[in-house]
Amino acid sequence: MVVRPDGQAQAPCKVAAQHDQPLLVALTRAFYWQQLLEDGMIASGSEIAQREGLHHSTVNELLRLTLLEPAIIQAILAGQQPKCMSLLWFQRNPLPTDWVAQREVVAGFDA
């Protein structure tokens, strides 16, 4: 439990979040790369990795962020995601592609 300055107790993930810069940068890159792929300007994640000097698994991990439910993306952009939702969390945990399942995962942060 975390006790805020006003004396209210909250679970660690319920603490008001701030903008997570690494996560915002990752979202931006992922959607940019996805657009390049959709427009046919880049043929694959491997080509992106080569051009960016990254490992192909890093590119694939970031591209998964484009599958997030829009409401989750909006929360991240507003800095209102659960505090323990970070780029590192997305890199270490599987992400369901189903938006209902994603909402359940996010709700689990607050449990």
mmCIF file of all heavy atoms in Angstrom, residues 46-93:
data_model
loop_
_atom_site.group_PDB
_atom_site.id
_atom_site.type_symbol
_atom_site.label_atom_id
_atom_site.label_comp_id
_atom_site.label_asym_id
_atom_site.label_seq_id
_atom_site.Cartn_x
_atom_site.Cartn_y
_atom_site.Cartn_z
ATOM 1 N N SER A 46 11.918 -6.857 -40.020
ATOM 2 C CA SER A 46 13.363 -7.069 -40.129
ATOM 3 C C SER A 46 14.036 -5.909 -40.860
ATOM 4 O O SER A 46 15.135 -5.486 -40.498
ATOM 5 C CB SER A 46 13.651 -8.380 -40.859
ATOM 6 O OG SER A 46 13.203 -9.466 -40.097
ATOM 7 N N GLU A 47 13.368 -5.380 -41.877
ATOM 8 C CA GLU A 47 13.922 -4.229 -42.598
ATOM 9 C C GLU A 47 13.956 -2.991 -41.700
ATOM 10 O O GLU A 47 14.925 -2.228 -41.719
ATOM 11 C CB GLU A 47 13.108 -3.946 -43.863
ATOM 12 C CG GLU A 47 13.712 -2.876 -44.730
ATOM 13 C CD GLU A 47 12.939 -2.623 -46.017
ATOM 14 O OE1 GLU A 47 12.153 -3.500 -46.444
ATOM 15 O OE2 GLU A 47 13.109 -1.525 -46.590
ATOM 16 N N ILE A 48 12.907 -2.824 -40.911
ATOM 17 C CA ILE A 48 12.893 -1.713 -39.950
ATOM 18 C C ILE A 48 14.072 -1.863 -38.988
ATOM 19 O O ILE A 48 14.798 -0.902 -38.725
ATOM 20 C CB ILE A 48 11.565 -1.664 -39.166
ATOM 21 C CG1 ILE A 48 10.399 -1.316 -40.089
ATOM 22 C CG2 ILE A 48 11.653 -0.672 -38.007
ATOM 23 C CD1 ILE A 48 9.033 -1.501 -39.468
ATOM 24 N N ALA A 49 14.248 -3.067 -38.458
ATOM 25 C CA ALA A 49 15.328 -3.318 -37.506
ATOM 26 C C ALA A 49 16.683 -2.988 -38.113
ATOM 27 O O ALA A 49 17.528 -2.361 -37.476
ATOM 28 C CB ALA A 49 15.286 -4.780 -37.052
ATOM 29 N N GLN A 50 16.870 -3.394 -39.360
ATOM 30 C CA GLN A 50 18.139 -3.123 -40.033
ATOM 31 C C GLN A 50 18.357 -1.625 -40.194
ATOM 32 O O GLN A 50 19.436 -1.108 -39.910
ATOM 33 C CB GLN A 50 18.165 -3.815 -41.398
ATOM 34 C CG GLN A 50 19.475 -3.666 -42.122
ATOM 35 C CD GLN A 50 19.471 -4.401 -43.460
ATOM 36 O OE1 GLN A 50 18.443 -4.904 -43.907
ATOM 37 N NE2 GLN A 50 20.623 -4.453 -44.088
ATOM 38 N N ARG A 51 17.337 -0.919 -40.636
ATOM 39 C CA ARG A 51 17.462 0.533 -40.837
ATOM 40 C C ARG A 51 17.670 1.287 -39.535
ATOM 41 O O ARG A 51 18.350 2.304 -39.501
ATOM 42 C CB ARG A 51 16.212 1.070 -41.526
ATOM 43 C CG ARG A 51 16.100 0.681 -42.968
ATOM 44 C CD ARG A 51 14.882 1.318 -43.594
ATOM 45 N NE ARG A 51 14.767 0.951 -44.991
ATOM 46 C CZ ARG A 51 14.043 1.619 -45.859
ATOM 47 N NH1 ARG A 51 13.363 2.693 -45.488
ATOM 48 N NH2 ARG A 51 13.980 1.230 -47.104
ATOM 49 N N GLU A 52 17.026 0.812 -38.461
ATOM 50 C CA GLU A 52 17.096 1.500 -37.165
ATOM 51 C C GLU A 52 18.257 1.022 -36.299
ATOM 52 O O GLU A 52 18.489 1.572 -35.229
ATOM 53 C CB GLU A 52 15.777 1.296 -36.400
ATOM 54 C CG GLU A 52 14.555 1.875 -37.080
ATOM 55 C CD GLU A 52 14.430 3.365 -36.898
ATOM 56 O OE1 GLU A 52 15.001 3.914 -35.935
ATOM 57 O OE2 GLU A 52 13.732 3.996 -37.712
ATOM 58 N N GLY A 53 18.940 -0.030 -36.742
ATOM 59 C CA GLY A 53 20.034 -0.574 -35.948
ATOM 60 C C GLY A 53 19.542 -1.282 -34.701
ATOM 61 O O GLY A 53 20.208 -1.242 -33.656
ATOM 62 N N LEU A 54 18.386 -1.922 -34.807
ATOM 63 C CA LEU A 54 17.790 -2.619 -33.671
ATOM 64 C C LEU A 54 17.712 -4.115 -33.967
ATOM 65 O O LEU A 54 17.771 -4.537 -35.119
ATOM 66 C CB LEU A 54 16.373 -2.093 -33.414
ATOM 67 C CG LEU A 54 16.242 -0.620 -33.073
ATOM 68 C CD1 LEU A 54 14.782 -0.197 -33.100
ATOM 69 C CD2 LEU A 54 16.856 -0.344 -31.710
ATOM 70 N N HIS A 55 17.527 -4.885 -32.926
ATOM 71 C CA HIS A 55 17.294 -6.317 -33.101
ATOM 72 C C HIS A 55 15.855 -6.489 -33.578
ATOM 73 O O HIS A 55 14.962 -5.746 -33.152
ATOM 74 C CB HIS A 55 17.519 -7.049 -31.778
ATOM 75 C CG HIS A 55 17.596 -8.534 -31.939
ATOM 76 N ND1 HIS A 55 16.484 -9.325 -31.923
ATOM 77 C CD2 HIS A 55 18.654 -9.349 -32.147
ATOM 78 C CE1 HIS A 55 16.840 -10.577 -32.098
ATOM 79 N NE2 HIS A 55 18.163 -10.619 -32.241
ATOM 80 N N HIS A 56 15.624 -7.463 -34.454
ATOM 81 C CA HIS A 56 14.276 -7.645 -35.003
ATOM 82 C C HIS A 56 13.245 -7.940 -33.919
ATOM 83 O O HIS A 56 12.076 -7.555 -34.041
ATOM 84 C CB HIS A 56 14.260 -8.733 -36.089
ATOM 85 C CG HIS A 56 14.593 -10.096 -35.590
ATOM 86 N ND1 HIS A 56 13.645 -10.941 -35.084
ATOM 87 C CD2 HIS A 56 15.773 -10.748 -35.509
ATOM 88 C CE1 HIS A 56 14.223 -12.070 -34.715
ATOM 89 N NE2 HIS A 56 15.519 -11.970 -34.965
ATOM 90 N N SER A 57 13.658 -8.584 -32.823
ATOM 91 C CA SER A 57 12.692 -8.864 -31.758
ATOM 92 C C SER A 57 12.244 -7.573 -31.065
ATOM 93 O O SER A 57 11.093 -7.463 -30.638
ATOM 94 C CB SER A 57 13.261 -9.852 -30.746
ATOM 95 O OG SER A 57 14.359 -9.295 -30.064
ATOM 96 N N THR A 58 13.121 -6.596 -30.980
ATOM 97 C CA THR A 58 12.755 -5.306 -30.393
ATOM 98 C C THR A 58 11.688 -4.628 -31.240
ATOM 99 O O THR A 58 10.698 -4.103 -30.715
ATOM 100 C CB THR A 58 13.993 -4.396 -30.273
ATOM 101 O OG1 THR A 58 14.964 -5.043 -29.466
ATOM 102 C CG2 THR A 58 13.637 -3.046 -29.674
ATOM 103 N N VAL A 59 11.870 -4.650 -32.537
ATOM 104 C CA VAL A 59 10.893 -4.045 -33.442
ATOM 105 C C VAL A 59 9.551 -4.765 -33.313
ATOM 106 O O VAL A 59 8.500 -4.127 -33.199
ATOM 107 C CB VAL A 59 11.398 -4.074 -34.902
ATOM 108 C CG1 VAL A 59 10.309 -3.628 -35.866
ATOM 109 C CG2 VAL A 59 12.641 -3.207 -35.039
ATOM 110 N N ASN A 60 9.586 -6.085 -33.284
ATOM 111 C CA ASN A 60 8.340 -6.846 -33.169
ATOM 112 C C ASN A 60 7.632 -6.574 -31.842
ATOM 113 O O ASN A 60 6.406 -6.466 -31.799
ATOM 114 C CB ASN A 60 8.603 -8.335 -33.348
ATOM 115 C CG ASN A 60 8.978 -8.679 -34.773
ATOM 116 O OD1 ASN A 60 8.611 -7.979 -35.704
ATOM 117 N ND2 ASN A 60 9.730 -9.747 -34.939
ATOM 118 N N GLU A 61 8.405 -6.446 -30.754
ATOM 119 C CA GLU A 61 7.808 -6.125 -29.454
ATOM 120 C C GLU A 61 7.095 -4.776 -29.502
ATOM 121 O O GLU A 61 5.993 -4.625 -28.983
ATOM 122 C CB GLU A 61 8.875 -6.083 -28.364
ATOM 123 C CG GLU A 61 9.388 -7.426 -27.935
ATOM 124 C CD GLU A 61 10.554 -7.320 -26.968
ATOM 125 O OE1 GLU A 61 11.066 -6.204 -26.730
ATOM 126 O OE2 GLU A 61 10.963 -8.372 -26.453
ATOM 127 N N LEU A 62 7.739 -3.798 -30.118
ATOM 128 C CA LEU A 62 7.139 -2.475 -30.188
ATOM 129 C C LEU A 62 5.926 -2.462 -31.115
ATOM 130 O O LEU A 62 4.925 -1.796 -30.823
ATOM 131 C CB LEU A 62 8.161 -1.436 -30.625
ATOM 132 C CG LEU A 62 9.315 -1.182 -29.650
ATOM 133 C CD1 LEU A 62 10.220 -0.086 -30.181
ATOM 134 C CD2 LEU A 62 8.805 -0.839 -28.268
ATOM 135 N N LEU A 63 5.993 -3.189 -32.210
ATOM 136 C CA LEU A 63 4.847 -3.233 -33.129
ATOM 137 C C LEU A 63 3.608 -3.817 -32.467
ATOM 138 O O LEU A 63 2.483 -3.479 -32.848
ATOM 139 C CB LEU A 63 5.205 -4.011 -34.401
ATOM 140 C CG LEU A 63 6.048 -3.255 -35.414
ATOM 141 C CD1 LEU A 63 6.526 -4.186 -36.523
ATOM 142 C CD2 LEU A 63 5.278 -2.077 -36.004
ATOM 143 N N ARG A 64 3.790 -4.665 -31.459
ATOM 144 C CA ARG A 64 2.630 -5.210 -30.735
ATOM 145 C C ARG A 64 1.807 -4.104 -30.079
ATOM 146 O O ARG A 64 0.608 -4.254 -29.871
ATOM 147 C CB ARG A 64 3.080 -6.183 -29.636
ATOM 148 C CG ARG A 64 3.581 -7.488 -30.117
ATOM 149 C CD ARG A 64 3.903 -8.454 -28.977
ATOM 150 N NE ARG A 64 4.553 -7.844 -27.838
ATOM 151 C CZ ARG A 64 4.241 -8.093 -26.567
ATOM 152 N NH1 ARG A 64 3.303 -8.946 -26.264
ATOM 153 N NH2 ARG A 64 4.890 -7.500 -25.587
ATOM 154 N N LEU A 65 2.450 -2.989 -29.757
ATOM 155 C CA LEU A 65 1.728 -1.881 -29.119
ATOM 156 C C LEU A 65 0.628 -1.318 -30.018
ATOM 157 O O LEU A 65 -0.324 -0.719 -29.532
ATOM 158 C CB LEU A 65 2.699 -0.775 -28.711
ATOM 159 C CG LEU A 65 3.732 -1.146 -27.650
ATOM 160 C CD1 LEU A 65 4.725 -0.008 -27.457
ATOM 161 C CD2 LEU A 65 3.054 -1.509 -26.338
ATOM 162 N N THR A 66 0.761 -1.511 -31.329
ATOM 163 C CA THR A 66 -0.269 -1.009 -32.245
ATOM 164 C C THR A 66 -1.556 -1.819 -32.125
ATOM 165 O O THR A 66 -2.588 -1.411 -32.667
ATOM 166 C CB THR A 66 0.205 -1.032 -33.711
ATOM 167 O OG1 THR A 66 0.450 -2.380 -34.109
ATOM 168 C CG2 THR A 66 1.450 -0.176 -33.890
ATOM 169 N N LEU A 67 -1.515 -2.927 -31.420
ATOM 170 C CA LEU A 67 -2.694 -3.773 -31.230
ATOM 171 C C LEU A 67 -3.477 -3.414 -29.973
ATOM 172 O O LEU A 67 -4.498 -4.034 -29.683
ATOM 173 C CB LEU A 67 -2.272 -5.247 -31.160
ATOM 174 C CG LEU A 67 -1.500 -5.780 -32.361
ATOM 175 C CD1 LEU A 67 -1.043 -7.209 -32.098
ATOM 176 C CD2 LEU A 67 -2.335 -5.700 -33.626
ATOM 177 N N LEU A 68 -2.996 -2.414 -29.239
ATOM 178 C CA LEU A 68 -3.680 -2.014 -28.011
ATOM 179 C C LEU A 68 -5.048 -1.405 -28.307
ATOM 180 O O LEU A 68 -5.236 -0.692 -29.301
ATOM 181 C CB LEU A 68 -2.847 -0.988 -27.241
ATOM 182 C CG LEU A 68 -1.679 -1.512 -26.447
ATOM 183 C CD1 LEU A 68 -0.821 -0.363 -25.940
ATOM 184 C CD2 LEU A 68 -2.161 -2.369 -25.285
ATOM 185 N N GLU A 69 -5.965 -1.657 -27.398
ATOM 186 C CA GLU A 69 -7.292 -1.050 -27.480
ATOM 187 C C GLU A 69 -7.140 0.475 -27.448
ATOM 188 O O GLU A 69 -6.338 1.013 -26.682
ATOM 189 C CB GLU A 69 -8.144 -1.512 -26.294
ATOM 190 C CG GLU A 69 -9.501 -0.871 -26.296
ATOM 191 C CD GLU A 69 -10.233 -0.984 -24.979
ATOM 192 O OE1 GLU A 69 -9.594 -1.165 -23.932
ATOM 193 O OE2 GLU A 69 -11.450 -0.848 -25.015
ATOM 194 N N PRO A 70 -7.889 1.188 -28.279
ATOM 195 C CA PRO A 70 -7.773 2.652 -28.307
ATOM 196 C C PRO A 70 -7.906 3.327 -26.942
ATOM 197 O O PRO A 70 -7.193 4.286 -26.658
ATOM 198 C CB PRO A 70 -8.890 3.072 -29.259
ATOM 199 C CG PRO A 70 -9.033 1.902 -30.183
ATOM 200 C CD PRO A 70 -8.802 0.694 -29.308
ATOM 201 N N ALA A 71 -8.778 2.832 -26.080
ATOM 202 C CA ALA A 71 -8.940 3.452 -24.757
ATOM 203 C C ALA A 71 -7.670 3.309 -23.918
ATOM 204 O O ALA A 71 -7.322 4.206 -23.143
ATOM 205 C CB ALA A 71 -10.127 2.837 -24.023
ATOM 206 N N ILE A 72 -6.964 2.202 -24.076
ATOM 207 C CA ILE A 72 -5.709 2.008 -23.350
ATOM 208 C C ILE A 72 -4.657 2.968 -23.894
ATOM 209 O O ILE A 72 -3.916 3.592 -23.133
ATOM 210 C CB ILE A 72 -5.243 0.541 -23.448
ATOM 211 C CG1 ILE A 72 -6.248 -0.379 -22.760
ATOM 212 C CG2 ILE A 72 -3.844 0.380 -22.844
ATOM 213 C CD1 ILE A 72 -6.003 -1.857 -22.964
ATOM 214 N N ILE A 73 -4.624 3.117 -25.212
ATOM 215 C CA ILE A 73 -3.687 4.064 -25.826
ATOM 216 C C ILE A 73 -3.989 5.477 -25.340
ATOM 217 O O ILE A 73 -3.073 6.221 -24.983
ATOM 218 C CB ILE A 73 -3.755 3.976 -27.360
ATOM 219 C CG1 ILE A 73 -3.221 2.623 -27.832
ATOM 220 C CG2 ILE A 73 -2.964 5.124 -28.011
ATOM 221 C CD1 ILE A 73 -3.449 2.335 -29.295
ATOM 222 N N GLN A 74 -5.260 5.848 -25.297
ATOM 223 C CA GLN A 74 -5.633 7.185 -24.830
ATOM 224 C C GLN A 74 -5.195 7.401 -23.387
ATOM 225 O O GLN A 74 -4.718 8.480 -23.028
ATOM 226 C CB GLN A 74 -7.131 7.406 -24.970
ATOM 227 C CG GLN A 74 -7.577 7.568 -26.398
ATOM 228 C CD GLN A 74 -9.083 7.698 -26.539
ATOM 229 O OE1 GLN A 74 -9.841 7.229 -25.693
ATOM 230 N NE2 GLN A 74 -9.508 8.339 -27.617
ATOM 231 N N ALA A 75 -5.357 6.375 -22.549
ATOM 232 C CA ALA A 75 -4.932 6.500 -21.150
ATOM 233 C C ALA A 75 -3.424 6.709 -21.061
ATOM 234 O O ALA A 75 -2.950 7.542 -20.283
ATOM 235 C CB ALA A 75 -5.342 5.255 -20.364
ATOM 236 N N ILE A 76 -2.673 5.979 -21.878
ATOM 237 C CA ILE A 76 -1.212 6.134 -21.883
ATOM 238 C C ILE A 76 -0.840 7.544 -22.343
ATOM 239 O O ILE A 76 0.002 8.210 -21.733
ATOM 240 C CB ILE A 76 -0.549 5.065 -22.775
ATOM 241 C CG1 ILE A 76 -0.731 3.675 -22.161
ATOM 242 C CG2 ILE A 76 0.935 5.379 -22.996
ATOM 243 C CD1 ILE A 76 -0.369 2.531 -23.083
ATOM 244 N N LEU A 77 -1.470 8.020 -23.412
ATOM 245 C CA LEU A 77 -1.178 9.358 -23.928
ATOM 246 C C LEU A 77 -1.514 10.443 -22.920
ATOM 247 O O LEU A 77 -0.852 11.484 -22.869
ATOM 248 C CB LEU A 77 -1.924 9.595 -25.240
ATOM 249 C CG LEU A 77 -1.494 8.732 -26.430
ATOM 250 C CD1 LEU A 77 -2.403 8.995 -27.628
ATOM 251 C CD2 LEU A 77 -0.042 8.972 -26.788
ATOM 252 N N ALA A 78 -2.543 10.193 -22.099
ATOM 253 C CA ALA A 78 -2.950 11.169 -21.093
ATOM 254 C C ALA A 78 -2.171 11.020 -19.783
ATOM 255 O O ALA A 78 -2.363 11.804 -18.856
ATOM 256 C CB ALA A 78 -4.451 11.022 -20.820
ATOM 257 N N GLY A 79 -1.307 10.001 -19.713
ATOM 258 C CA GLY A 79 -0.567 9.762 -18.480
ATOM 259 C C GLY A 79 -1.436 9.172 -17.393
ATOM 260 O O GLY A 79 -1.155 9.308 -16.212
ATOM 261 N N GLN A 80 -2.518 8.489 -17.774
ATOM 262 C CA GLN A 80 -3.470 7.954 -16.803
ATOM 263 C C GLN A 80 -3.474 6.427 -16.758
ATOM 264 O O GLN A 80 -4.396 5.840 -16.215
ATOM 265 C CB GLN A 80 -4.864 8.484 -17.112
ATOM 266 C CG GLN A 80 -4.951 9.977 -16.986
ATOM 267 C CD GLN A 80 -6.296 10.524 -17.435
ATOM 268 O OE1 GLN A 80 -7.084 9.832 -18.066
ATOM 269 N NE2 GLN A 80 -6.550 11.768 -17.105
ATOM 270 N N GLN A 81 -2.451 5.791 -17.324
ATOM 271 C CA GLN A 81 -2.343 4.344 -17.251
ATOM 272 C C GLN A 81 -1.935 3.950 -15.834
ATOM 273 O O GLN A 81 -1.397 4.774 -15.105
ATOM 274 C CB GLN A 81 -1.319 3.828 -18.266
ATOM 275 C CG GLN A 81 0.126 4.061 -17.900
ATOM 276 C CD GLN A 81 0.627 5.473 -18.143
ATOM 277 O OE1 GLN A 81 -0.063 6.329 -18.670
ATOM 278 N NE2 GLN A 81 1.855 5.735 -17.728
ATOM 279 N N PRO A 82 -2.204 2.706 -15.441
ATOM 280 C CA PRO A 82 -1.713 2.269 -14.124
ATOM 281 C C PRO A 82 -0.199 2.466 -14.039
ATOM 282 O O PRO A 82 0.513 2.281 -15.018
ATOM 283 C CB PRO A 82 -2.075 0.778 -14.095
ATOM 284 C CG PRO A 82 -3.210 0.638 -15.045
ATOM 285 C CD PRO A 82 -2.950 1.653 -16.124
ATOM 286 N N LYS A 83 0.261 2.866 -12.879
ATOM 287 C CA LYS A 83 1.676 3.200 -12.725
ATOM 288 C C LYS A 83 2.597 2.035 -13.080
ATOM 289 O O LYS A 83 3.671 2.234 -13.616
ATOM 290 C CB LYS A 83 1.955 3.664 -11.295
ATOM 291 C CG LYS A 83 3.361 4.201 -11.122
ATOM 292 C CD LYS A 83 3.470 5.034 -9.885
ATOM 293 C CE LYS A 83 4.838 5.615 -9.723
ATOM 294 N NZ LYS A 83 5.122 6.706 -10.638
ATOM 295 N N CYS A 84 2.153 0.804 -12.829
ATOM 296 C CA CYS A 84 3.023 -0.337 -13.117
ATOM 297 C C CYS A 84 2.906 -0.797 -14.565
ATOM 298 O O CYS A 84 3.562 -1.760 -14.955
ATOM 299 C CB CYS A 84 2.770 -1.484 -12.145
ATOM 300 S SG CYS A 84 1.075 -1.994 -12.034
ATOM 301 N N MET A 85 2.123 -0.105 -15.386
ATOM 302 C CA MET A 85 2.077 -0.397 -16.822
ATOM 303 C C MET A 85 3.178 0.426 -17.470
ATOM 304 O O MET A 85 3.114 1.648 -17.527
ATOM 305 C CB MET A 85 0.723 -0.019 -17.428
ATOM 306 C CG MET A 85 0.650 -0.275 -18.926
ATOM 307 S SD MET A 85 -0.857 0.363 -19.668
ATOM 308 C CE MET A 85 -2.033 -0.833 -19.094
ATOM 309 N N SER A 86 4.202 -0.258 -17.937
ATOM 310 C CA SER A 86 5.361 0.431 -18.502
ATOM 311 C C SER A 86 5.811 -0.291 -19.760
ATOM 312 O O SER A 86 5.334 -1.390 -20.071
ATOM 313 C CB SER A 86 6.500 0.443 -17.490
ATOM 314 O OG SER A 86 6.953 -0.888 -17.273
ATOM 315 N N LEU A 87 6.749 0.307 -20.457
ATOM 316 C CA LEU A 87 7.321 -0.344 -21.626
ATOM 317 C C LEU A 87 7.945 -1.668 -21.221
ATOM 318 O O LEU A 87 7.778 -2.680 -21.908
ATOM 319 C CB LEU A 87 8.359 0.563 -22.289
ATOM 320 C CG LEU A 87 9.068 -0.020 -23.505
ATOM 321 C CD1 LEU A 87 8.082 -0.430 -24.591
ATOM 322 C CD2 LEU A 87 10.075 0.983 -24.039
ATOM 323 N N LEU A 88 8.629 -1.690 -20.110
ATOM 324 C CA LEU A 88 9.235 -2.920 -19.626
ATOM 325 C C LEU A 88 8.174 -3.995 -19.389
ATOM 326 O O LEU A 88 8.380 -5.163 -19.725
ATOM 327 C CB LEU A 88 10.031 -2.659 -18.339
ATOM 328 C CG LEU A 88 10.798 -3.840 -17.771
ATOM 329 C CD1 LEU A 88 11.817 -4.364 -18.774
ATOM 330 C CD2 LEU A 88 11.479 -3.432 -16.476
ATOM 331 N N TRP A 89 7.019 -3.614 -18.835
ATOM 332 C CA TRP A 89 5.950 -4.578 -18.623
ATOM 333 C C TRP A 89 5.515 -5.177 -19.964
ATOM 334 O O TRP A 89 5.360 -6.393 -20.086
ATOM 335 C CB TRP A 89 4.749 -3.941 -17.920
ATOM 336 C CG TRP A 89 3.707 -4.962 -17.614
ATOM 337 C CD1 TRP A 89 3.607 -5.722 -16.487
ATOM 338 C CD2 TRP A 89 2.656 -5.398 -18.483
ATOM 339 N NE1 TRP A 89 2.550 -6.594 -16.603
ATOM 340 C CE2 TRP A 89 1.947 -6.414 -17.815
ATOM 341 C CE3 TRP A 89 2.232 -5.022 -19.753
ATOM 342 C CZ2 TRP A 89 0.854 -7.060 -18.373
ATOM 343 C CZ3 TRP A 89 1.137 -5.667 -20.319
ATOM 344 C CH2 TRP A 89 0.458 -6.674 -19.633
ATOM 345 N N PHE A 90 5.324 -4.330 -20.973
ATOM 346 C CA PHE A 90 4.896 -4.826 -22.280
ATOM 347 C C PHE A 90 5.957 -5.724 -22.913
ATOM 348 O O PHE A 90 5.629 -6.654 -23.637
ATOM 349 C CB PHE A 90 4.567 -3.668 -23.230
ATOM 350 C CG PHE A 90 3.234 -3.046 -22.947
ATOM 351 C CD1 PHE A 90 3.156 -1.778 -22.397
ATOM 352 C CD2 PHE A 90 2.056 -3.707 -23.240
ATOM 353 C CE1 PHE A 90 1.933 -1.185 -22.136
ATOM 354 C CE2 PHE A 90 0.825 -3.138 -22.979
ATOM 355 C CZ PHE A 90 0.758 -1.876 -22.424
ATOM 356 N N GLN A 91 7.220 -5.447 -22.649
ATOM 357 C CA GLN A 91 8.288 -6.263 -23.209
ATOM 358 C C GLN A 91 8.381 -7.625 -22.536
ATOM 359 O O GLN A 91 8.847 -8.581 -23.141
ATOM 360 C CB GLN A 91 9.628 -5.530 -23.105
ATOM 361 C CG GLN A 91 9.706 -4.334 -24.020
ATOM 362 C CD GLN A 91 10.949 -3.501 -23.784
ATOM 363 O OE1 GLN A 91 11.388 -3.312 -22.659
ATOM 364 N NE2 GLN A 91 11.507 -2.985 -24.872
ATOM 365 N N ARG A 92 7.951 -7.723 -21.302
ATOM 366 C CA ARG A 92 8.093 -8.965 -20.542
ATOM 367 C C ARG A 92 6.823 -9.792 -20.456
ATOM 368 O O ARG A 92 6.850 -10.903 -19.927
ATOM 369 C CB ARG A 92 8.576 -8.648 -19.127
ATOM 370 C CG ARG A 92 9.983 -8.126 -19.120
ATOM 371 C CD ARG A 92 10.485 -7.969 -17.727
ATOM 372 N NE ARG A 92 11.885 -7.565 -17.736
ATOM 373 C CZ ARG A 92 12.553 -7.241 -16.664
ATOM 374 N NH1 ARG A 92 11.975 -7.274 -15.489
ATOM 375 N NH2 ARG A 92 13.811 -6.893 -16.759
ATOM 376 N N ASN A 93 5.704 -9.264 -20.894
ATOM 377 C CA ASN A 93 4.430 -9.963 -20.747
ATOM 378 C C ASN A 93 3.717 -10.092 -22.079
ATOM 379 O O ASN A 93 3.754 -9.166 -22.894
ATOM 380 C CB ASN A 93 3.528 -9.209 -19.757
ATOM 381 C CG ASN A 93 4.096 -9.220 -18.363
ATOM 382 O OD1 ASN A 93 3.961 -10.193 -17.650
ATOM 383 N ND2 ASN A 93 4.774 -8.140 -17.988
#
